[in-house]
Each structure stands twice: as C-alpha cells, then as structure tokens.
Amino acid sequence: MSFFGKWFRILWLCRVTRDMPQSLEPPYADFLRLYAQHEAALHVFVRAMLSNRQEADEVMQQVVVVLWSKFDQAQDFKKWAFGVARLEVLRFLQARKRDRHVFDEALLHRLADRAALHAPEVASRREALDGCLEKLPAAQRELVLTAYTKGTRMDELATHRGQTPMALYKLLQRIRQALLDCVERTLAEEATA
Amino acid sequence: MDWNELIQKHLSGLATEAESRQLAAELKTNDALADLYVKHIALDVALECKADATDSARALITTPVSRTQTPWYAWRPLTAAAAGIVLGILCTSVVFGYVTERASQGLPIPVFDPGFEGAKPLDTGLPHGADEWGGRSVAVVPAENGVRPLNGRQMLRLQPSELNEKDANHYAHAYQVLDLRPLALGVQSGAMEVLVSASFCTAPSSAKARNCIRIYALKEPPASVTENFWSKDEDAGVISLTQRFEIASGDDGWRVFSAKMPLPQGTQSLVIIFSATSPKLEPPSASASYLDDVQAILSKTPDKLHP
C-alpha cells in the first residue's frame, strides 16, 4: 500500500476511533500522530492572526504542505509547526501587501502568543462544544451549523428564513454566546471535578 | 463595553473601524481580553469544523454511485472525503486547494482540448485513455444564455440531470485522463504536487451553482486507469482529492477555481473530474454552469522554512 493510501486509511480510522494505529513506517506515523495532536490548535493559532476564514484556510493549506514535505523527527514538532504557521501568515500578509493599520504586526504576534498559550485546551474545548451543541434546541443547532458551513451566505440564509440579515446576525450572536458560556462552564466544572 | 459583543462584531466584519481600533488598543494591554478573543476564535474554528463535517457527511451520502459495486465500493467516497481530512483530520475545511489564482510557476501538464474547441467528440462516461474528454450530462456549446466562451468559440455546458434514480441530486461530470509519464522524473522523488484549475461561469439567470474539481492520482498507465475505475481503492495506489465550491446566484462572469494535491511516488496518470450538482427539486434549466480553459500544473513542493 502506498504512503498516501496508508495515510488516508489511517486518518479515516482516526476519525472513527480517535485512536492511532501503530503499523505505519516511523516517520509517517510520527508525522500523523503529531499533526493530529496539534492540528486544531494550529488552526486556532492561524485564525488568531488572520480572522478571515478563507484567508486562514489558504494559509493553513500552505502550512500543512510545508510541514508534510519538510517533516523532521528530530525537532520539537509543536514549536516548529507554530513557527512555520507564524511565518506563513506574515508571508501571506506581505504578499498581499495588506495594510494592517488596525491590527498591526505587534498585535498579531501578541494574539499568536496567546493562542499558543491556550493550545493545550483546544481539544477539550471542542469536546465541550459537542456537548453544548447537543443541549441546544434542534432548530438552533441546525441554524448555527448551517450558518458556519462553508459557502453559506448570511443574506441568503436570512431571506430563506424570512428575516432581515441583522435579525439573523443578532440571533446567531446570542446562540454563539450561549455556546461560549456553556463551553466555559463545562471546562470549569471539569476542572473542579 | 460588552467586549464579547465587540469581538463578535469584529470577527463577523460588522465592526466599524473605530470599534476595531478600540478593540485593538485594548487587546494590546489586556491579557484577559486577548484570551477572550482567542476563545472566540477557537469557538468559530470548532463550529466551522463541526459544520463542515456535517456537510461532508451529507456529501458522502450524495456522492455519485460507483458503476461496479465491489466490496471496496464504500472506499471511493471515503477516499474522496479523506482528501479533505488529510491535513485537517477533524476539520474538513482545510484542504490542499481552493486558491482562486492560477499557478505562476511549474511545469504545465498537457491537457487535451483545454478550451473545448471540438478537437474530438466527447466520449460517454469515463474516457478510455488520454487525449479525449468524457462526460455525462455535458455538451460542447457556443455562446448561449448570456454566457460567452472565455477563450475560443466554444465551452462545455454542465447541465445536471438524473444519473441514478436513488441519488438525492442531479449531476453532470466531465472527465479527462492526463498522462504524467513524459514528465515523471520529479514525481519519482515524491516531492511534487499538481494544481488543476479551470474557469467556471453561470448564466446570469441561473440559480446557485455547486461545482467541484476532483483529482485522482494512479500508478497505472493512462490506457488502463479507467478500467473498473470506481472499484479501485487506495490499495491499488489510488489517492484522490475533492474540492467543492459554489458560485452564488447572479454572480455572472468567469471565475477560476483550483485544487492542489501532492503526488505520491510513481504516479503515472491523473484522472481529473469537473462536476456540477443540483438538488432534484431545482429545475434543470436553472442549474447549468459552464467550464472553459482547463489547466494542470506540476510543481515542486515548497522549500523548507527556518522559523
């Protein structure tokens, strides 16, 4: 089986079992294990510097190609990966000649640092979010997931629901805040349990 | 000041410049606010991943049915979906692809009749080798419905129709096999990637168009890759990637979309597929989209960074 074939199969297995088999050749297994471990935090890290989803996705693609092609087992993966991501964001902004007079480069670095600080809790936040989504009324859960699906346009969604875009935004804002509060509560309860 | 509200407004692009400046000034000195900002970002990313995973699950259900149902049947859509998972295991929004720019560097892979100028009649279904286009529910057409070909005199119309009674959607597909063997020196090193791009357009009166580009890399020569194609899986050295995108209703004009995928060692052929999908409830005439100027570029993976 090819390297990619294994990769796809293993990743699918991971998706189902959240468990990493041990049968791959060491470099690839190590990369998969490390990438799986840090992917979510890396994504948050990039988004902290680039709040636009599409731009962040574009940079993540480049980050991951670099990580995949230049993986070195000997180095500290997390430190290296976050360093690559930071450079790729700056390179992206430089290439676009983005005038960041509101969020300047110093602030971007600061947000990146705070994101790196919170990286260890990203996975538990996602688990908590799953539970919080389940607690939402089904209609609200469906709405928020539709709103966050790539390609969804808020104006079209509002029209479809017979709402003004601002009314929809306010509703989503309330749902979103409820989810954030729920995640915080869940994590706090887990910490004291 | 309700910082939660201001952060949400800023992240949604609804904050005024003055509000964003106020937020930025506070973020520079207030650690708790910076942490709150990161928590909002983490929530957004998690919701996007959750939403996309749900959407991908829907996509799996609506993936075109294979022609030959073998025990490996289920792997085809899984493999396609896995392409979106490869580098974003639990978040399918991060894929090698979706850049709306043409590659500026790299080695062009010859594409047969990239502008659909009618060099050879379309084959039905998958083509039987390189040097031809195959398709289902597609037709080479001149200017029509207010759409003019991007280049030359003709373009390809993708008009989704029912290909399988059990499908939830209508589909149209265009296929071509690309021969990498004359260019394969770099592919042997496993350090190459392919970027497939094409221009898409909808008629001014059309509904939203849902299109995708799929790339399959195979270690077989072009003459045999499409034999029992849908029953092949990654054990046979097949890897694939699917990039979906949408063109909003009324968004006329040609737009370039692309998908990028690393190539495994020994790749000899690529099968590229351009598709259009529409819900069965939508009138077929409302969902036509057009394809022109197909390109494929082989390039090296990026050089190492030293952070």
Side-chain angles (χ1 to χ4, degrees):
Chain A
M1 190 191 296
S2 69
F3 159 59
F4 271 88
K6 285 178 179 172
W7 199 353
F8 286 127
R9 185 187 290 273
I10 294 305
L11 287 169
W12 178 75
L13 288 171
C14 293
R15 202 181 193 202
V16 173
T17 65
R18 307 288 176 92
D19 190 18
M20 184 64 73
Q22 303 296 318
S23 57
L24 283 177
E25 292 88 346
Y28 306 134
D30 285 348
F31 180 84
L32 288 172
R33 179 176 55 77
L34 289 165
Y35 187 77
Q37 190 178 336
H38 298 294
E39 185 271 340
L42 203 56
H43 200 170
V44 173
F45 179 87
V46 168
R47 280 291 287 277
M49 297 181 76
L50 269 179
S51 60
N52 179 282
R53 179 180 185 178
Q54 190 167 329
E55 291 181 348
D57 283 356
E58 195 173 324
V59 170
M60 274 298 287
Q61 293 165 22
Q62 190 58 30
V63 168
V64 103
V65 168
V66 173
L67 295 179
W68 169 73
S69 57
K70 307 299 177 188
F71 175 58
D72 179 354
Q73 289 168 283
Q75 61 196 338
D76 179 338
F77 182 85
K78 182 184 172 187
K79 186 178 174 186
W80 173 61
F82 278 54
V84 168
R86 191 185 295 253
L87 282 183
E88 285 298 334
V89 171
L90 296 176
R91 183 176 289 180
F92 175 86
L93 291 172
Q94 195 173 24
R96 298 283 172 103
K97 294 184 170 52
R98 179 70 51 82
D99 182 8
R100 287 261 164 186
H101 52 273
V102 177
F103 278 33
D104 59 26
E105 193 168 321
L107 179 53
L108 296 184
H109 281 297
R110 174 170 161 73
L111 292 173
D113 291 341
R114 301 309 294 187
L117 201 63
H118 288 278
E121 69 192 48
V122 167
S124 51
R125 284 188 167 277
R126 288 197 174 185
E127 285 180 19
L129 176 64
D130 286 344
C132 293
L133 280 167
E134 288 304 313
K135 291 176 186 170
L136 278 181
Q140 289 191 8
R141 183 168 59 244
E142 183 66 23
L143 172 63
V144 76
L145 291 178
T146 302
Y148 274 85
T149 299
K150 201 170 199 170
T152 297
R153 284 180 52 159
M154 288 302 124
D155 53 349
E156 288 180 355
L157 184 57
T159 304
H160 179 70
R161 291 172 54 84
Q163 289 180 298
T164 65
M166 188 48 69
L168 175 62
Y169 168 74
K170 290 285 183 189
L171 175 58
L172 285 169
Q173 189 184 40
R174 286 196 295 275
I175 297 172
R176 201 177 166 287
Q177 190 61 49
L179 286 171
L180 184 60
D181 293 343
C182 174
V183 168
E184 292 300 311
R185 252 193 333 270
T186 305
L187 293 179
E189 286 167 6
E190 286 174 358
T192 56
Chain B
M1 171 58 64
D2 184 339
W3 291 112
N4 279 303
E5 188 179 333
L6 185 51
I7 290 171
Q8 287 204 47
K9 279 181 81 174
H10 174 76
L11 294 178
S12 304
L14 296 175
T16 63
E17 188 170 331
E19 288 172 326
S20 289
R21 280 185 188 283
Q22 184 184 11
L23 177 63
E26 191 67 19
L27 283 170
K28 285 179 179 174
T29 55
N30 185 335
D31 283 351
L33 185 64
D35 291 344
L36 183 63
Y37 184 86
V38 170
K39 288 172 183 174
H40 274 278
I41 291 281
L43 178 67
D44 271 354
V45 171
L47 281 170
E48 288 160 7
C49 292
K50 187 83 180 168
D52 284 347
T54 307
D55 197 45
S56 292
R58 291 189 203 114
L60 285 181
I61 294 166
T62 57
T63 296
V65 176
S66 63
R67 292 176 179 177
T68 311
Q69 293 205 4
T70 71
W72 292 107
Y73 156 67
W75 278 101
R76 173 59 52 187
L78 283 175
T79 305
I85 299 165
V86 165
L87 301 168
I89 293 169
L90 300 175
C91 179
T92 56
S93 64
V94 180
V95 195
F96 285 112
Y98 194 75
V99 283
T100 54
E101 296 167 0
R102 294 289 199 189
S104 56
Q105 294 180 329
L107 184 64
I109 302 170
V111 174
F112 176 76
D113 197 8
F116 304 99
E117 295 306 307
K120 191 175 178 181
L122 293 174
D123 201 351
T124 302
L126 284 163
H128 296 94
D131 299 336
E132 65 177 350
W133 280 103
R136 302 182 75 182
S137 302
V138 298
V140 173
V141 295
E144 64 172 25
N145 297 328
V147 178
R148 301 184 62 80
L150 180 66
N151 294 320
R153 292 174 300 156
Q154 298 185 118
M155 56 194 171
L156 191 74
R157 181 178 63 215
L158 297 142
Q159 182 90 60
S161 66
E162 184 176 278
L163 300 184
N164 187 312
E165 194 180 347
K166 293 178 181 174
D167 290 345
N169 295 315
H170 287 153
Y171 297 99
H173 304 295
Y175 316 93
Q176 184 166 151
V177 177
L178 303 181
D179 187 357
L180 293 192
R181 291 172 303 173
L183 314 169
L185 286 176
V187 177
Q188 296 305 321
S189 71
M192 304 296 284
E193 59 193 24
V194 63
L195 180 86
V196 174
S197 61
S199 295
F200 291 81
C201 186
T202 61
S205 58
S206 287
K208 178 168 68 178
R210 303 163 185 83
N211 297 96
C212 81
I213 299 175
R214 295 183 183 195
I215 309 171
Y216 294 82
L218 301 97
K219 296 181 179 178
E220 299 175 55
S224 63
V225 287
T226 55
E227 290 173 15
N228 299 317
F229 180 71
W230 301 111
S231 63
K232 291 172 180 170
D233 79 321
E234 71 274 27
D235 278 336
V238 181
I239 70 156
S240 65
L241 177 142
T242 300
Q243 181 62 56
R244 294 181 175 84
F245 48 89
E246 294 181 345
I247 303 175
S249 176
D251 187 3
D252 55 351
W254 289 95
R255 297 181 60 186
V256 177
F257 291 96
S258 64
K260 183 162 65 175
M261 185 175 83
L263 295 177
Q265 287 187 4
T267 300
Q268 295 187 33
S269 308
L270 299 177
V271 176
I272 54 175
I273 304 178
F274 303 91
S275 302
T277 307
S278 68
K280 277 190 171 175
L281 295 175
E282 204 165 86
S285 59
S287 51
S289 54
Y290 298 89
L291 175 68
D292 207 347
D293 192 24
V294 175
Q295 296 182 18
I297 302 286
L298 196 64
S299 60
K300 286 181 67 176
T301 48
D303 292 333
K304 186 170 187 173
L305 290 175
H306 298 283

